Amino acid sequence: MYRIAVIGDYDSIYGFAALGLDTFPVTAHEEAAELLHRLAAEGYGIIYITEAWMAELKQEAAKYQDQVIPAIIQIPGIAGNTGAGVAGVKKSVEVAVGSDILFGDD
């Protein structure tokens, strides 16, 4: 069975520990990048990352974009939803169905 990790600032992720997820608060880019690669190598199946940290780790996360595992999923932080995670989901769905799902020019 795969484990699930959550990466982000402490205030945004500490509640996920109550759900049994492994939480990893980070404060520096280098620390977060190293952690992402370590968790992927250790076989985590899903890695949730706050949108703010995903913006910082785009290049590092791109390495795993075409891989099934780990699935790297953006989540809102304590400051709220930036919409970055939703855009990624919309694009993934559009690729799967072969059409713009909102019929817009986005």
Side-chain angles (χ1 to χ4, degrees):
M1 178 180 283
Y2 293 106
R3 295 181 292 173
I4 301 173
V6 186
I7 299 173
D9 61 279
Y10 177 81
D11 290 336
S12 295
I13 68 168
Y14 74 91
F16 288 95
L19 299 174
L21 307 182
D22 296 336
T23 56
F24 299 92
V26 291
T27 57
H29 178 86
E30 296 80 19
E31 172 191 19
E34 182 180 311
L35 177 63
L36 175 62
H37 296 308
R38 182 171 55 91
L39 295 175
E42 290 178 2
Y44 277 81
I46 299 173
I47 302 172
Y48 292 107
I49 302 178
T50 59
E51 291 170 333
W53 275 105
M54 187 63 166
E56 293 278 329
L57 298 172
K58 281 189 180 200
Q59 290 181 329
E60 290 83 357
K63 175 181 178 180
Y64 307 103
Q65 183 175 357
D66 294 329
Q67 297 179 12
V68 176
I69 297 172
I72 299 176
I73 302 168
Q74 295 183 64
I75 58 172
I78 197 163
N81 187 351
T82 66
V86 174
V89 171
K90 178 182 180 283
K91 183 178 178 182
S92 296
V93 171
E94 289 174 346
V95 168
V97 299
S99 177
D100 184 342
I101 62 172
L102 298 179
F103 304 105
D105 293 328
D106 292 338

